[in-house]
Amino acid sequence: MSQTTQSTSKLRQRMIEDMRMRKLCDKTQASYIRAVRKFAGYLGRSPDSANVEDLRNFQLHLVDHGVSPITLNATITGLKFFFDITLDRAELMARMQPVSVPRTLPVILSREEVSRLIAAAGNLKHQTALSVAYGAGLRVSEVVALKVGDIDSERMTLRIEQGKGHKDRYAMLAPVLLERLRTWWRVARAQGKMLDGGWLFPGLNPIESLSTRQLNRAIHAAAEAAQIDKRVSMHTLRHSFATHLLEQKVDIRVIQVLLGHKRLDTTALYAQVATDLLREVISPLAVSYTHLRAHETDSYLVCRLLLE
């Protein structure tokens, strides 16, 4: 093993320890390591030998190669952790600037499309999991992390442990969703697929939960079977949940709590896609047109009176 390789391995291990100390989730750790590995590959030497210009040129390299704003910012965040925390050389990141990410509107399914999608899922487990994602507005990671004990039928809630941002919260549990969960529980128990106190949606091995990848594959297959042409993912069900609640006149601050959003403006995005609300708004053109017609009618009556 060369000296450079040994140095890089030690740096990697120290960075992993720094991330563990801060209890960063596995997904974040993998993203940060990937960012440093990508930079080291570009640099052609150990990343701790980099200078300000090396980092600046690396960002230009990523931009010139068409890297998306989201990927670019994720790479900068990973490098920032490495240089700020692991190397204690924050000044090297002076010319690395995150870029603005274009804000796009989420894809929303109609209620009828949601029903078709769930019905088209391949089996009862997937149908129930999709029902939970939509009926409670959960992220896919939150759906697969549910355990049987997280269902509180007395208070009609689902307990979400350590969701995004390492936060616990309660999600709503509608009566129709509770019935679907009970049906799934009875079938899964009869088939020996669900352990006592185990995962609500176990994988092929009941000791392990259904993976997010498996559930994403299931929803793509269901969308194709239901002949839904929209770009559908598990997060589409969460978006649809929030939008449909807003159209039902549920207070946006309540929706914010149900979704576990930290900022209200994140939830407010759904006001732009709630078409039922948009249809209720009267365009100023319609008001102006009504006044114009009234004015024309008054003018017509005056002319009639003068002619008489």
Side-chain angles (χ1 to χ4, degrees):
M1 183 183 292
S2 67
Q3 187 174 355
T4 301
T5 304
Q6 288 179 339
S7 175
T8 302
S9 297
K10 289 180 180 179
L11 282 174
R12 175 190 173 94
Q13 184 57 39
R14 184 172 180 83
M15 184 178 178
I16 291 173
E17 290 171 354
D18 288 335
M19 292 188 290
R20 283 175 51 214
M21 286 171 60
R22 289 156 181 79
K23 293 189 174 181
L24 300 186
C25 70
D26 292 343
K27 188 175 180 180
T28 299
Q29 291 189 37
S31 175
Y32 286 6
I33 291 293
R34 186 163 54 248
V36 177
R37 185 168 59 242
K38 188 187 302 181
F39 175 59
Y42 163 81
L43 197 62
R45 61 182 192 273
S46 180
D48 63 340
S49 65
N51 56 40
V52 173
E53 281 301 307
D54 289 329
L55 285 159
R56 180 180 180 275
N57 290 334
F58 178 57
Q59 181 165 351
L60 286 172
H61 167 78
L62 295 178
V63 171
D64 291 342
H65 282 74
V67 172
S68 71
I70 292 176
T71 302
L72 179 59
N73 288 344
T75 303
I76 292 173
T77 302
L79 291 174
K80 182 174 175 60
F81 183 93
F82 175 70
F83 285 102
D84 287 10
I85 306 300
T86 302
L87 294 185
D88 193 22
R89 298 187 63 190
E91 72 279 0
L92 292 179
M93 294 294 294
R95 296 191 183 180
M96 291 288 278
Q97 296 297 324
V99 299
S100 60
V101 178
R103 190 152 194 182
T104 57
L105 293 178
V107 173
I108 305 299
L109 300 178
S110 68
R111 291 169 178 80
E112 187 271 338
E113 286 174 325
V114 170
S115 297
R116 281 167 43 206
L117 179 72
I118 294 173
N123 54 56
L124 182 59
K125 177 166 65 175
H126 291 159
Q127 288 176 356
T128 310
L130 298 188
S131 298
V132 170
Y134 172 67
L138 304 190
R139 301 176 179 91
V140 61
S141 58
E142 295 168 344
V143 173
V144 299
L146 285 172
K147 293 186 176 180
V148 176
D150 294 328
I151 302 172
D152 189 339
S153 58
E154 294 293 325
R155 299 179 62 227
M156 296 301 289
T157 60
L158 289 171
R159 178 177 172 81
I160 311 301
E161 290 192 0
Q162 297 297 287
K164 187 175 181 180
H166 303 289
K167 294 183 294 184
D168 293 348
R169 76 176 192 280
Y170 286 99
M172 62 185 292
L173 177 60
V176 64
L177 181 56
L178 178 60
E179 286 306 311
R180 288 196 175 202
L181 286 170
R182 282 173 171 165
T183 300
W184 160 241
W185 182 84
R186 286 193 294 267
V187 171
R189 292 286 292 180
Q191 296 176 347
K193 295 180 178 179
M194 190 179 293
L195 304 177
D196 291 334
W199 302 108
L200 183 58
F201 300 109
L204 293 177
N205 183 348
I207 297 177
E208 300 175 351
S209 70
L210 186 70
S211 71
T212 57
R213 180 174 296 182
Q214 289 170 320
L215 205 46
N216 276 312
R217 283 202 298 263
I219 195 172
H220 291 151
E224 184 176 354
Q227 297 183 335
I228 296 174
D229 295 330
K230 297 176 180 177
R231 190 176 64 254
V232 175
S233 69
M234 285 298 297
H235 219 65
T236 304
L237 294 177
R238 179 173 160 88
H239 290 320
S240 301
F241 163 84
T243 304
H244 295 164
L245 285 184
L246 194 59
E247 291 175 342
Q248 293 168 202
K249 305 298 194 304
V250 176
D251 190 291
I252 195 167
R253 286 163 296 189
V254 174
I255 300 174
Q256 177 190 4
V257 172
L258 292 173
L259 293 175
H261 283 165
K262 185 177 181 180
R263 296 161 54 111
L264 183 60
D265 60 354
T266 304
T267 316
L269 171 68
Y270 298 110
Q272 299 180 44
V273 290
T275 54
D276 284 1
L277 295 183
L278 296 178
R279 282 195 291 267
E280 292 179 6
V281 179
I282 300 175
S283 168
L285 176 62
V287 177
S288 300
Y289 183 73
T290 301
H291 285 302
L292 177 61
R293 295 289 295 175
H295 178 71
E296 290 176 345
T297 302
D298 290 343
S299 299
Y300 173 75
L301 292 174
V302 169
C303 290
R304 286 291 303 273
L305 287 172
L306 288 176
L307 289 173
E308 291 175 356

